[in-house]
Amino acid sequence: MIGKSMDIYESHSINREEKELLLNYMGRDPSHTEIGIFSVMWSEHCSYKSSRHWLKKLHTKGKQVIQGPGENAGVIDIGDNQAIIFKMESHNHPSFIEPYQGAATGVGGIMRDIFTMGARPIALLNSIRFGELAHSKTKFLLSGVVSGIGGYGNCVGIPTVAGETGFDSSYNGNNLVNAMCVGLTTRDKIFYSKASGIGNPVVYVGAKTGRDGIHGATMASGEFDDESDKNRPTVQVGDPYAEKLLLEACLELMQKDAIISIQDMGAAGLTSSSVEMADKGRVGIELNLDNIPTRQENLTAYEMMLSESQERMLMVLKPEKTDIAKEVFKKWDVDFAIVGKITETNNIVVLHNGMIEADIPIKFLTDNAPIYKRETISKNKQDQKSQLSSDIKIKEAILRVLNSANICSKKWIWEQYDRTIMANTLNEAGEDAGIVRIENTEKAIAMSCDVTPRYCDADAKKGAMQAVSECWRNIISMGAKPLAITNCLNFGNPEKPEIMTDFVETINGIRDASIVLDFPVVSGNVSLYNETNGHPIKNTPTIGGVGLIKNIGILEDFGSANVGDSIYMIGKKGSHLDCSTLEEVYNNTSSNNPPEVDLNQEKINGNCVLELIQEKIISSCHDISDGGMIVALCELIIKDEIGATLNKIAEDQLIRQLFGEDQSRYIITIKPRFVSAFENKIKKNGIDYELIGNITSSQLKINDGIIISNSELKNSYESLIPSIMSNKE
């Protein structure tokens, strides 16, 4: 008799309709372990049941793409038989509940996605967002998350080279932690998760299994409320030193032609890794849990299948290479156990203590999992124009914007990350993108993470296009050709039509931008239900991009402005103040009319700037984004400890030209002897440009009467977060 109460299913986040579907599939009352397996595999986090339909619309192809979405990470070709493997994932809910371990295990998990595919991690990035700086919990969360990111990455020995941090009231009850990792391998050493070979051994390697993280995937697929702290036991506990040993052992074994398939045990642990491997190979898998290494006694089958203990992998090995593999892991003092075999049944069968604890056709967990085409609505948006005061004082405005939460220096944060370990990082922290040299070559990789949530909240499609475009500009600004992107799509409850509508528009925006810019999506992650007590975060589709510098020789004499350099702006004069940082700072709100994104102009301007850098015509380059031209210029002169004098700007245009956030624009500096070559090239391409001033020694000077010293600019820019974090209250 089929008789388990609805309460049992609801406690596993399985609704009534899903229960009926499950029972129809199984034709019997499922065991407790089977319900647990269904609950995690059908969770939003694992099944993408609200987003899968729409994700298929993304642009994922390109001649540079070796592997697009669907594997542990995306793979792109960088020539010379080398490949870059990269991905971004969220660890939002765990980091809100337990900020240190949540962030740390997010870093550990994304690294495993990379070396699972055969790449040695060479760089870490992150995009983190918190509530208002004045909010009671922000200081605690910021401190814990930053410590967790730094603590894990620093211990494993992977440099954290770039990222972004933002603050907004919408994150008061739900901070975001998006972690990205970039790795390097050769094209002939890329490993996939597709299992094959009936009878081949299934091997567990890595740390022992415990009770930490049980139902982590399910927790990450739901909203928060005032009782969210009760979820603390679902947060995993990481060990970076165990991760380092596992990494080295896996990479060594990958050189010995022993691995058929390999999968990280991430969300849903042993369940998801075994199911996904078998599903991709269209085979069955049998697991004997009696052989699982455990760190606690009397773990049940349910606990072992759902545990999200960290630093673990599942492999299918060539039978004749099993002993070789065992010796490799013994050398690195990493647990190794044969825990199952590949079968022809197309089922997952779980054995424990001589009993069959689960026997489920894999297709019920994957292909036949629920897919929802959530309701969307037509939005009748009426643009709200900026209502800025007419008597804004320029000097005050510059200093206030530089001292605002989303513009100010994040030095307090990135100083806690080791960015020089491995000795391949080529640029300073805090620049448009991080640059890491490819050892024994003249090549380097540039990487960036970008999104402007207030744009996305105001207009989801425009905001998504802008996020892709800004990532493109940041990579261009470092002299790299943009190659591909990953994403982390952070949204609220998809069951709300207005949020699902924004999700769909976001997909459309990313698709359109990536097509025009030849910047395909090769990997990514969706994080939904980011809200507390019904209050969602602002739409935050974070874009992580990777670009290639073919010859690092172009970076010689590039990256710093020099006294006497001419300052040019590429692109049209600033004018758009709606939805701007200035508006946010002065009005404590944001209108719903973000700047237009002309993708074709973005491409033309970017390609021209890249050529100018490659031809060594430009001394330095900085994209114009948040805060407009004046913020880009101030960041440049603060970094290089210099000054600038701007050409006369009409008073009635001063605010708009300084703070307007129009897109497709760059600030560049050029030595006098290269001005002619620059202007000839820019005119040939038909691109708008303007000589806006020149580099001086120590102060910012605007229209003769506005003078701000470099030290005053620097103090405003760098003081906010240290003052908040050092406050004992």
Side-chain angles (χ1 to χ4, degrees):
M1 178 177 176
I2 297 174
K4 281 190 170 64
S5 73
M6 188 62 210
D7 289 347
I8 293 176
Y9 291 93
E10 287 180 341
S11 70
H12 286 79
S13 299
I14 296 173
N15 64 33
R16 191 171 297 278
E17 291 76 17
E18 291 171 347
K19 173 194 172 184
E20 294 303 317
L21 184 64
L22 188 163
L23 293 176
N24 183 58
Y25 284 164
M26 297 295 287
R28 59 175 173 80
D29 200 20
S31 71
H32 186 59
T33 299
E34 288 173 330
I35 291 176
I37 290 172
F38 271 102
S39 76
V40 293
M41 291 307 300
W42 284 9
S43 70
E44 195 74 60
H45 195 79
C46 291
S47 75
Y48 286 33
K49 57 189 176 186
S50 297
S51 59
R52 201 186 321 174
H53 169 79
W54 300 104
L55 293 172
K56 294 176 182 178
K57 298 181 180 295
L58 289 170
H59 173 60
T60 61
K61 306 294 185 181
K63 62 182 181 181
Q64 68 273 44
V65 178
I66 297 173
Q67 173 65 54
E71 266 293 340
N72 286 297
V75 188
I76 55 174
D77 189 352
I78 62 167
D80 306 311
N81 194 39
Q82 292 179 314
I84 289 293
I85 299 181
F86 70 106
K87 188 183 182 182
M88 181 189 297
E89 281 201 340
S90 64
H91 231 223
N92 302 335
H93 284 45
S95 300
F96 184 78
I97 295 167
E98 201 339 285
Y100 184 94
Q101 290 295 347
T105 53
V107 173
I110 196 62
M111 279 197 285
R112 289 194 299 279
D113 281 338
I114 301 310
F115 71 76
T116 294
M117 295 193 69
R120 178 173 291 279
I122 60 172
L124 292 166
L125 302 86
N126 57 76
S127 175
I128 52 180
R129 298 199 176 266
F130 303 90
E132 299 164 295
L133 275 171
H135 189 268
S136 59
K137 204 168 182 179
T138 295
K139 185 175 172 180
F140 165 72
L141 291 170
L142 175 61
S143 179
V145 165
V146 171
S147 295
I149 291 171
Y152 204 100
N154 296 353
C155 289
V156 179
I158 310 300
T160 300
V161 301
E164 60 166 7
T165 305
F167 302 89
D168 185 85
S169 61
S170 73
Y171 307 105
N172 283 345
N174 200 128
N175 62 267
L176 302 183
V177 176
N178 296 174
M180 177 175 167
C181 184
V182 179
L184 174 70
T185 189
T186 55
R187 292 196 57 152
D188 59 337
K189 290 295 181 184
I190 300 170
F191 292 81
Y192 299 95
S193 56
K194 179 181 177 181
S196 64
I198 306 305
N200 281 342
V202 176
V203 174
Y204 171 119
V205 296
K208 291 179 170 59
T209 295
R211 292 189 171 93
D212 53 315
I214 293 173
H215 274 299
T218 308
M219 178 270 291
S221 304
E223 299 178 28
F224 282 156
D225 55 31
D226 293 332
E227 303 297 318
S228 294
D229 278 351
K230 68 184 181 184
N231 290 318
R232 193 173 298 274
T234 65
V235 178
Q236 311 92 330
V237 178
D239 180 348
Y241 301 105
E243 178 103 343
K244 175 64 173 174
L245 294 174
L246 179 61
L247 183 158
E248 297 298 344
C250 287
L251 292 180
E252 181 173 331
L253 184 61
M254 287 168 173
Q255 301 304 312
K256 299 183 181 297
D257 193 31
I259 299 172
I260 294 173
S261 66
I262 180 170
Q263 179 75 38
D264 163 45
M265 290 193 215
L270 187 58
T271 291
S272 64
S273 57
S274 56
V275 168
E276 289 171 8
M277 290 171 72
D279 180 59
K280 288 175 182 175
R282 298 300 179 189
V283 295
I285 190 166
E286 180 181 291
L287 299 175
N288 187 343
L289 303 187
D290 296 345
N291 299 331
I292 297 289
T294 60
R295 62 171 182 265
Q296 292 159 312
E297 295 182 356
N298 302 318
L299 264 65
T300 65
Y302 177 95
E303 291 172 325
M304 283 187 277
M305 291 302 294
L306 269 63
S307 169
E308 294 184 9
S309 296
Q310 298 291 286
E311 295 85 40
R312 302 180 301 159
M313 298 280 199
L314 203 63
M315 299 178 177
V316 178
L317 297 180
K318 296 178 179 179
E320 69 274 15
K321 297 293 183 74
T322 304
D323 288 342
I324 293 173
K326 186 176 181 179
E327 285 302 311
V328 169
F329 284 93
K330 181 180 179 181
K331 167 188 170 181
W332 289 100
D333 195 25
V334 175
D335 276 319
F336 174 101
I338 298 174
V339 297
K341 62 183 179 182
I342 299 301
T343 69
E344 58 187 4
T345 65
N346 295 113
N347 284 20
I348 178 171
V349 177
V350 178
L351 308 173
H352 188 223
N353 294 332
M355 303 286 292
I356 297 176
E357 293 285 346
D359 187 354
I360 307 171
I362 287 170
K363 66 180 181 180
F364 295 166
L365 302 169
T366 55
D367 295 348
N368 295 355
I371 296 179
Y372 296 111
K373 193 173 180 181
R374 304 285 191 189
E375 182 184 357
T376 58
I377 58 175
S378 295
K379 290 189 173 183
N380 295 315
K381 193 186 82 168
Q382 293 184 339
D383 289 347
Q384 300 169 349
K385 299 296 183 180
S386 175
Q387 298 296 320
L388 284 163
S389 170
S390 59
D391 62 352
I392 290 175
K393 308 300 182 189
I394 297 298
K395 179 176 180 178
E396 176 193 82
I398 293 171
L399 296 177
R400 281 186 63 178
V401 167
L402 289 176
N403 194 242
S404 64
N406 289 313
I407 296 294
C408 73
S409 170
K410 307 305 186 299
K411 186 177 181 179
W412 182 92
I413 294 170
W414 48 252
E415 280 187 333
Q416 298 184 52
Y417 306 148
D418 190 338
R419 65 186 316 277
T420 61
I421 195 167
M422 300 177 73
N424 289 321
T425 307
L426 295 183
N427 65 327
E428 299 176 10
E431 298 189 6
D432 288 335
I435 306 176
V436 173
R437 176 175 63 92
I438 304 298
E439 290 184 357
N440 303 314
T441 75
E442 295 298 311
K443 297 184 295 190
I445 301 297
M447 300 150 278
S448 182
C449 293
D450 300 281
V451 66
T452 306
R454 69 178 183 277
Y455 292 172
C456 300
D457 185 62
D459 188 308
K461 185 175 182 179
K462 282 186 185 178
M465 292 165 62
Q466 190 275 338
V468 176
S469 298
E470 185 177 352
C471 188
W472 158 275
R473 287 198 302 274
N474 280 329
I475 290 169
I476 290 278
S477 296
M478 306 311 296
K481 177 178 173 57
L483 292 179
I485 59 176
T486 182
N487 60 57
C488 199
L489 308 179
N490 309 275
F491 286 78
N493 184 347
E495 298 166 47
K496 297 177 179 178
E498 63 274 16
I499 289 176
M500 198 65 218
T501 300
D502 282 349
F503 183 87
V504 173
E505 286 299 296
T506 295
I507 295 294
N508 292 336
I510 293 173
R511 177 200 62 211
D512 289 358
S514 61
I515 289 173
V516 173
L517 300 176
D518 188 21
F519 210 21
V521 179
V522 297
S523 60
N525 174 242
V526 178
S527 176
L528 303 176
Y529 295 95
N530 289 288
E531 53 185 83
T532 298
N533 294 326
H535 299 291
I537 65 166
K538 285 181 176 174
N539 310 328
T540 311
T542 309
I543 303 297
V546 170
L548 176 66
I549 300 172
K550 288 186 177 181
N551 186 343
I552 57 177
I554 68 167
L555 302 180
E556 295 175 9
D557 300 321
F558 174 76
S560 296
N562 311 280
V563 175
D565 282 1
S566 297
I567 308 170
Y568 283 87
M569 182 175 66
I570 291 179
K572 295 181 178 179
K573 293 179 180 180
S575 64
H576 197 97
L577 292 175
D578 297 348
C579 214
S580 66
T581 302
L582 186 72
E583 182 186 48
E584 186 178 56
V585 169
Y586 273 82
N587 294 354
N588 199 31
T589 187
S590 184
S591 53
N592 69 348
N593 181 38
E596 295 294 328
V597 180
D598 185 331
L599 294 169
N600 288 315
Q601 195 63 56
E602 191 76 65
K603 185 176 184 178
I604 292 169
N605 290 7
N607 285 338
C608 185
V609 169
L610 182 58
E611 289 177 10
L612 288 165
I613 296 172
Q614 292 173 338
E615 294 169 12
K616 296 188 174 184
I617 292 173
I618 295 176
S619 301
S620 67
C621 180
H622 191 11
D623 89 298
I624 299 176
S625 51
D626 274 10
M629 177 266 283
I630 193 62
V631 167
L633 181 61
C634 286
E635 288 177 341
L636 187 152
I637 64 177
I638 291 169
K639 177 180 79 72
D640 291 335
E641 299 182 340
I642 50 180
T645 296
L646 295 185
N647 296 338
K648 182 76 174 177
I649 303 172
E651 290 296 328
D652 64 341
Q653 294 297 312
L654 190 55
I655 292 288
R656 292 189 175 277
Q657 290 195 31
L658 292 180
F659 297 97
E661 296 185 7
D662 307 69
Q663 300 294 294
S664 310
R665 301 192 299 158
Y666 302 81
I667 287 281
I668 63 171
T669 65
I670 302 174
K671 292 182 173 67
R673 67 179 184 272
F674 293 125
V675 165
S676 177
F678 160 74
E679 292 192 349
N680 288 338
K681 190 173 191 68
I682 208 83
K683 289 174 183 176
K684 182 180 178 181
N685 284 273
I687 294 172
D688 288 308
Y689 75 102
E690 182 181 8
L691 174 64
I692 62 173
N694 61 283
I695 296 295
T696 58
S697 59
S698 62
Q699 61 187 20
L700 174 65
K701 188 175 180 181
I702 305 171
N703 283 5
D704 298 325
I706 304 165
I707 299 176
I708 314 174
S709 69
N710 188 290
S711 59
E712 196 172 2
L713 292 169
K714 185 176 181 179
N715 182 63
S716 288
Y717 186 57
E718 296 185 352
S719 63
L720 180 62
I721 292 179
S723 68
I724 294 288
M725 300 307 293
S726 62
N727 191 334
K728 302 300 182 182
E729 295 181 4

